[in-house]
Amino acid sequence: MKALVYRGPGKKAFEDRPKPKLEAPGDAVVKITRTTICGTDLHILKGDVATCKPGRILGHEGVGVVHSVGAGVTAFKPGDRVLISCISACGKCEYCRRGMYSHCTTGGWILGNEIDGTQAEYVRTPHADTSLYPIPDGADEEALVMLSDILPTGFECGVLNGKVAPGSTVAIVGAGPIGLAALLTAQFYAPAEIVMIDLDDNRLEVARRFGATHSINSSDGKALDEVKALTGGRGVDTAIEAVGVPATFLLCEELVAPGGVIANVGVHGTKVDLHLETLWSRNITITTRLVDTVTTSMLLKLVQSGKLQPGKLVTHRFELAEVMKAYDVFANAAQERALKVVLKSD
Amino acid sequence: MKALVYRGPGKKAFEDRPKPKLEAPGDAVVKITRTTICGTDLHILKGDVATCKPGRILGHEGVGVVHSVGAGVTAFKPGDRVLISCISACGKCEYCRRGMYSHCTTGGWILGNEIDGTQAEYVRTPHADTSLYPIPDGADEEALVMLSDILPTGFECGVLNGKVAPGSTVAIVGAGPIGLAALLTAQFYAPAEIVMIDLDDNRLEVARRFGATHSINSSDGKALDEVKALTGGRGVDTAIEAVGVPATFLLCEELVAPGGVIANVGVHGTKVDLHLETLWSRNITITTRLVDTVTTSMLLKLVQSGKLQPGKLVTHRFELAEVMKAYDVFANAAQERALKVVLKSD
Amino acid sequence: MKALVYRGPGKKAFEDRPKPKLEAPGDAVVKITRTTICGTDLHILKGDVATCKPGRILGHEGVGVVHSVGAGVTAFKPGDRVLISCISACGKCEYCRRGMYSHCTTGGWILGNEIDGTQAEYVRTPHADTSLYPIPDGADEEALVMLSDILPTGFECGVLNGKVAPGSTVAIVGAGPIGLAALLTAQFYAPAEIVMIDLDDNRLEVARRFGATHSINSSDGKALDEVKALTGGRGVDTAIEAVGVPATFLLCEELVAPGGVIANVGVHGTKVDLHLETLWSRNITITTRLVDTVTTSMLLKLVQSGKLQPGKLVTHRFELAEVMKAYDVFANAAQERALKVVLKSD
Amino acid sequence: MKALVYRGPGKKAFEDRPKPKLEAPGDAVVKITRTTICGTDLHILKGDVATCKPGRILGHEGVGVVHSVGAGVTAFKPGDRVLISCISACGKCEYCRRGMYSHCTTGGWILGNEIDGTQAEYVRTPHADTSLYPIPDGADEEALVMLSDILPTGFECGVLNGKVAPGSTVAIVGAGPIGLAALLTAQFYAPAEIVMIDLDDNRLEVARRFGATHSINSSDGKALDEVKALTGGRGVDTAIEAVGVPATFLLCEELVAPGGVIANVGVHGTKVDLHLETLWSRNITITTRLVDTVTTSMLLKLVQSGKLQPGKLVTHRFELAEVMKAYDVFANAAQERALKVVLKSD
């Protein structure tokens, strides 16, 4: 089969690979019909993710059709249409029982990282019963690809950890796909204000269309002043960090009101300064989280009911055979006005 | 009356001052019968607390007898025996209504800081109805002095914020009075293990007597290894920082297990390094808090029921007239084996 | 001044009464500009509310202008435009500190019940600092009258107690003003389905306009079957009882899914059958609540932000002088297609 | 093998039965070393449990040694010492993922009810990976039998649902094994008062030894008066119903303070009167729950740490061969001063 393979820092290839086989009783093999590219895939290609070795098929998002299942799989059978979670969860270990699938002792984020991923014609998914989700008849499968990773990530790491609440004030720093996923799902809780902060006017315009009540281009260094002005000097109840660099985390430290939460979503490559000399007495909470995908079923219900429309994050579509070109578009997201690019195969 | 007055960095005096008067309808004037010295008073004397100006009577802890009340006070009358909270709370502002008394817009920690405090024969207490607590008949008033500040601080900032739970594993870094207050109150939630970490063997011995299941002298730099060994390599569910310097906060970052909480209690004078490059994916929570004293009534009930015995934190007793000597003892706590020193007046 | 006075079961009069005076330092006297009639007023007129004695001025909802304040009032001054909460809260007692204003030891629901109420030109409001709310400039005062009682009642007793959550399924039994208030505020939490159940097709049509995803006229006794069909036989996550009779509570017992909540909002005059022989093992929660009005500030923010539009509950408007006619319309709500009738005075 | 078999209402026999075999990939067969008799077994023998048919081997509690495992079992292997949960949980269905193992769509309480149980030499346990728990080396296996059912039942249905909290006041109605299990585990949360109510002075004496601060023999009908006297007229924060008849549930309705919780644990065979005409405005919560056994791991940790000593619930010991006699003793619990009877086999 054809697959997109990581070949070491800076290198990737679209090449022939053997079709995956069942390896454990809990496995399924899924024929991919739609997949996408994640910012994390770009991190891997930079060589930033030590667990991902050359030779690995990339991709941890996708929907498809079950091709075969192991002897222990009871919830799925060949022919079932499924959503693939970016997190594999055994459902049995202490972390899984606590709802921390991200730290499953035999799973977690392994797809397209420690095992071969979804940017291929087929993928082997371990712990299939608790890592795949049935797709309701008539669902828009392209839209559901957004539920493999970015929607639960924005929602769990940003919105739930950030304790967004009716009437509250939220700032989201970073209007990329993850920040926009936080924006879409923050609205489940009717905050009074959602302030989107980014450097890219195009993305800020998208954010306003997606429900942000205010947008701030922070390139002039005045984002803090503007948020303070908007909030009577108080700051925000929830600051969602959706970038992953020290400057944006520091901005969140400054934006957050007493009693507020900084919910980190960004993937950080370096330490940050935590200003406890002012924050120690401000009654704040800081959270970090690798997505657990424990809300996938709930997000599916909200898509089915029409209250969540993740399809609007898709800006570009390609055949799987065009994956190299799709990477180029996604890597030049600002210029291409790209959010999520979907790869299709049959 | 006599009072202990801050005279600028490094200077204090026990001197005559006019007896305080009612200034607002919500005020009470309380005759102090017992007060104590807090680590924060030593910070003030070092010049570290910018809000506290020379000339200020120090002290934010104490019990006494109501001497007079303003026209708006309905819950207390002269002659009532009362516990004075270190936090003044109006009960009306948005922060007070959310239970964040620490950020009361006309109160907070002002006693012995922005207004004259309790190390005196009398003190004026603003917002008396919501900042004083009636002392039950027959209560041990010396023990209750511990409820002005250190018990609610250890409990709210450390134990509640730290989400200590039945069967969980807790590390408390710092075995001073606040760390020990966290230790005493952590036991309300039946954690399976409480590991106390300090540099002073005497304090660690006290901690074991007070209920710590393990104690570690961290002077050899091996505290992390010992905690990892104790927890099967996993780390602790709750790490309570009760010192306030970068090294101890960093230790907490290393001690905390995935899914755990770092509850900061320490007063920090400088920023710390937050290692988001490892912590971003570990699903941890960090909290800061200036004590709100919202649990004072509950702690009083637990003292009355015998389940909390804060009196055992008192190691030294002095007359108020001996306050200068009491400060010397408290400032040399390790050598004097001092925890809390109580000052008595009649 | 003119006021609507309860004259014993079945009797009321619009008559002259002396203007109220300040009686305690915490009191305010407010000139009423808008008030309304509540279903509870009709209960009083039937003689069902033992605490309300003949001679009482009715009414516990309204907005107005502060006329005078007592010596202890610090948050308001004459001329301030204010929303009057139906619950008076001292902010000091143990219940108030726990956020249970409904059980304030010197307040609770007393307005228009144990003390004279708001269907008058002026009203005395005890505990003014914690029972009045400032009205933002430019706000629609008529809409805000809905925040005195019915919006917080539907929200606190129905939606919050009912733990409405994103993706969940909600049934609201009773499409009167309170049930509709629950419907409007349930949408703060993005449930996937909201099923409205009533006997009146007109109200059900209103419910659909206000956001119900399904409506059921239960007069044919098939509401349970329809809900089961809608939910794959499972029942609803939240059943909100907004009527107050045994039959509707029983329906909620039948509607609720395992793990679900029955949130009682209705005022009941008689006991009901609780079928523990089936419910003991179904992991359900039943809640009761007299509104605490602890969410009034939050609801005000949501009105200001445009996310809550309570004005659409107002169907009829009268001058205060027409109050007898307004009662007639409200008492024949179904026929008059009345939801809330607003009374205006200048 | 030998087994205790239900033979229809009023009838049981200790008879030969074939050793169970693996039937599904997730099954284990466990050799029982210790089991016990539950009040529910007596209910079955009365014919009260319609799901349990004649011919069924009874028993849903026990510890033992794994004899064989199906192909899908990954967490256990033959020879492992295990605790058997009374609830079988697949870990995959929507209820299991929400932590409601009691409502597992292919499990729940089936052992000794819908499938053969543990009062035998061997038992087949479905969903073994998520329904068995490893026993730590050196653990007291007799004590751990109490963790199959009664400790999690008292804790989850009574203490957790009842929101027992530091400083709170708790009444437990019913001092049988389940009520005593609630008593032992309520102490994890340091309530200020725990009042035990029963008709049997012997059990009340046991309750005082196990930590009850007060005990009331309710045979004189004055329990309510006594509790009101103890609580200043207010009632209790948590009322735990551990009997299962209308009279005791009614007592809980009367005992509970405004803002409190009635946590039902009892198995009810008939409806009860719910006095909503008084309770509608008292802000109370009523919960029901079939135990989910989601706290088994946590309870195991607390047994290992010495903070929970369930062994003290064991009053009588028999060989499995003496099971008929053991039933006689347990059925005459008051006279025999029996709490839990343990059955041993090798």
Side-chain angles (χ1 to χ4, degrees), chain D residues 99-258:
Chain D
M100 272 179 69
Y101 296 173
S102 58
H103 288 71
C104 174
T105 53
T106 58
W109 174 44
I110 53 174
L111 267 189
N113 175 12
E114 300 181 29
I115 64 172
D116 285 334
T118 58
Q119 293 168 7
E121 293 177 62
Y122 291 85
V123 66
R124 180 181 67 90
T125 57
H127 303 315
D129 276 341
T130 36
S131 307
L132 301 178
Y133 291 83
I135 294 184
D137 287 341
D140 171 2
E141 297 195 1
E142 182 182 275
L144 293 188
V145 176
M146 308 298 113
L147 266 62
S148 288
D149 179 347
I150 64 168
L151 264 294
T153 295
F155 183 55
E156 296 177 7
C157 309
V159 175
L160 289 184
N161 272 19
K163 292 183 194 159
V164 176
S168 71
T169 303
V170 180
I172 301 172
V173 182
I178 293 285
L180 293 170
L183 170 61
L184 290 175
T185 53
Q187 297 172 66
F188 297 161
Y189 291 99
E193 322 273 359
I194 310 179
V195 185
M196 205 82 187
I197 301 173
D198 200 290
L199 298 165
D200 179 339
D201 282 328
N202 172 50
R203 290 191 159 184
L204 290 171
E205 194 276 323
V206 172
R208 285 192 303 274
R209 256 192 295 127
F210 283 14
T213 58
H214 303 84
S215 64
I216 298 176
N217 188 314
S218 56
S219 51
D220 64 0
K222 296 186 178 159
L224 176 61
D225 294 344
E226 291 184 55
V227 170
K228 290 279 178 175
L230 272 170
T231 57
R234 210 176 60 90
V236 298
D237 300 306
T238 302
I240 297 176
E241 206 283 349
V243 178
V245 300
T248 47
F249 193 86
L250 181 61
L251 179 58
C252 290
E253 293 184 35
E254 296 169 328
L255 288 173
V256 71

Side-chain angles (χ1 to χ4, degrees), chain A residues 61-346:
Chain A
E61 300 163 275
V63 301
V65 183
V66 174
H67 173 266
S68 56
V69 298
V73 174
T74 60
F76 298 99
K77 60 181 191 309
D80 287 350
R81 304 194 80 85
V82 291
L83 168 66
I84 301 167
S85 175
C86 67
I87 297 293
S88 303
C90 74
K92 303 173 181 180
C93 71
E94 192 175 331
Y95 285 113
C96 281
R97 293 200 190 203
R98 289 167 61 187
M100 271 177 69
Y101 297 174
S102 58
H103 286 70
C104 173
T105 54
T106 59
W109 174 44
I110 55 175
L111 268 188
N113 174 11
E114 301 180 28
I115 64 172
D116 283 336
T118 57
Q119 292 168 7
E121 292 178 62
Y122 291 86
V123 67
R124 181 181 67 90
T125 59
H127 305 313
D129 275 342
T130 35
S131 308
L132 301 178
Y133 293 81
I135 293 184
D137 286 343
D140 172 2
E141 298 195 2
E142 181 181 276
L144 294 188
V145 176
M146 308 298 114
L147 265 63
S148 288
D149 178 346
I150 66 167
L151 263 296
T153 294
F155 183 55
E156 297 178 6
C157 309
V159 176
L160 290 184
N161 272 20
K163 294 182 192 159
V164 175
S168 71
T169 304
V170 179
I172 301 173
V173 182
I178 293 284
L180 292 169
L183 171 62
L184 290 175
T185 55
Q187 294 171 69
F188 297 161
Y189 291 99
E193 321 274 359
I194 309 179
V195 185
M196 205 79 187
I197 301 171
D198 200 288
L199 297 165
D200 177 339
D201 282 329
N202 172 50
R203 290 191 159 184
L204 291 170
E205 194 276 323
V206 172
R208 283 193 303 274
R209 258 193 294 127
F210 283 15
T213 58
H214 302 84
S215 63
I216 299 175
N217 187 315
S218 55
S219 51
D220 62 2
K222 293 186 181 163
L224 176 62
D225 294 344
E226 290 184 55
V227 171
K228 290 278 178 175
L230 273 171
T231 57
R234 211 178 59 90
V236 297
D237 300 305
T238 301
I240 296 176
E241 205 283 349
V243 178
V245 300
T248 47
F249 192 87
L250 181 61
L251 179 59
C252 289
E253 293 184 37
E254 296 169 328
L255 288 173
V256 71
V261 184
I262 300 172
N264 186 75
V265 189
V267 177
H268 290 258
T270 177
K271 70 181 180 183
V272 303
D273 287 340
L274 180 63
H275 287 282
L276 282 181
E277 75 278 19
T278 54
L279 294 173
W280 76 268
S281 65
R282 301 197 82 204
N283 298 34
I284 65 151
T285 299
I286 300 168
T287 63
T288 71
R289 188 168 183 178
L290 178 59
V291 64
D292 293 302
T293 64
V294 286
T295 61
T296 306
S297 290
M298 184 243 268
L299 293 168
L300 268 165
K301 282 184 203 162
L302 285 161
V303 172
Q304 283 307 99
S305 74
K307 298 209 184 305
L308 175 63
Q309 298 175 323
K312 56 188 174 187
L313 288 161
V314 180
T315 53
H316 295 70
R317 290 162 189 87
F318 299 91
E319 296 295 316
L320 178 62
E322 303 169 294
V323 60
M324 300 295 277
K325 185 169 148 200
Y327 262 89
D328 288 344
V329 166
F330 189 65
N332 293 298
Q335 204 171 320
E336 301 280 352
R337 302 202 163 198
L339 294 171
K340 290 294 279 185
V341 304
V342 162
L343 296 160
K344 189 179 170 220
S345 66
D346 301 302

Side-chain angles (χ1 to χ4, degrees), chain C residues 153-310:
Chain C
T153 295
F155 183 55
E156 297 178 6
C157 308
V159 176
L160 289 184
N161 273 19
K163 293 182 193 158
V164 176
S168 70
T169 304
V170 179
I172 301 173
V173 182
I178 293 284
L180 293 169
L183 171 62
L184 289 175
T185 55
Q187 295 171 70
F188 297 162
Y189 291 99
E193 321 274 0
I194 310 179
V195 185
M196 206 80 187
I197 301 172
D198 201 288
L199 298 164
D200 179 338
D201 282 329
N202 172 50
R203 289 191 161 185
L204 289 171
E205 193 276 323
V206 172
R208 284 191 304 273
R209 255 193 297 126
F210 284 14
T213 57
H214 303 84
S215 63
I216 300 176
N217 188 315
S218 55
S219 51
D220 62 2
K222 296 188 180 160
L224 177 61
D225 294 344
E226 291 185 55
V227 171
K228 291 277 178 175
L230 273 169
T231 57
R234 211 178 60 91
V236 297
D237 300 306
T238 301
I240 296 176
E241 204 284 348
V243 178
V245 300
T248 47
F249 193 86
L250 182 61
L251 178 58
C252 290
E253 293 184 36
E254 296 170 328
L255 288 173
V256 71
V261 184
I262 300 172
N264 186 75
V265 189
V267 177
H268 290 258
T270 178
K271 69 182 180 184
V272 303
D273 288 340
L274 180 63
H275 287 283
L276 282 182
E277 77 278 19
T278 53
L279 294 173
W280 75 268
S281 65
R282 301 197 80 205
N283 298 34
I284 64 152
T285 299
I286 298 169
T287 63
T288 72
R289 187 169 184 177
L290 178 59
V291 65
D292 293 300
T293 65
V294 285
T295 60
T296 306
S297 291
M298 185 243 267
L299 293 167
L300 270 164
K301 281 183 205 165
L302 285 161
V303 172
Q304 284 307 100
S305 72
K307 299 208 184 303
L308 176 63
Q309 296 175 324

Side-chain angles (χ1 to χ4, degrees), chain D residues 29-105:
Chain D
V29 169
V30 178
K31 184 177 188 314
I32 298 292
T33 56
R34 298 280 185 292
T35 184
T36 183
I37 306 171
C38 181
T40 310
D41 297 322
L42 303 184
H43 279 293
I44 292 173
L45 283 167
K46 282 187 196 145
D48 287 352
V49 179
T51 46
C52 186
K53 307 296 183 198
R56 179 67 62 236
I57 300 174
L58 297 184
H60 50 269
E61 300 164 275
V63 300
V65 182
V66 174
H67 174 267
S68 55
V69 298
V73 175
T74 59
F76 298 100
K77 61 179 187 313
D80 286 350
R81 303 194 79 86
V82 291
L83 167 67
I84 301 166
S85 176
C86 66
I87 297 293
S88 303
C90 74
K92 302 171 180 180
C93 71
E94 190 175 332
Y95 286 114
C96 281
R97 294 201 190 203
R98 288 167 61 189
M100 272 179 69
Y101 296 173
S102 58
H103 288 71
C104 174
T105 53

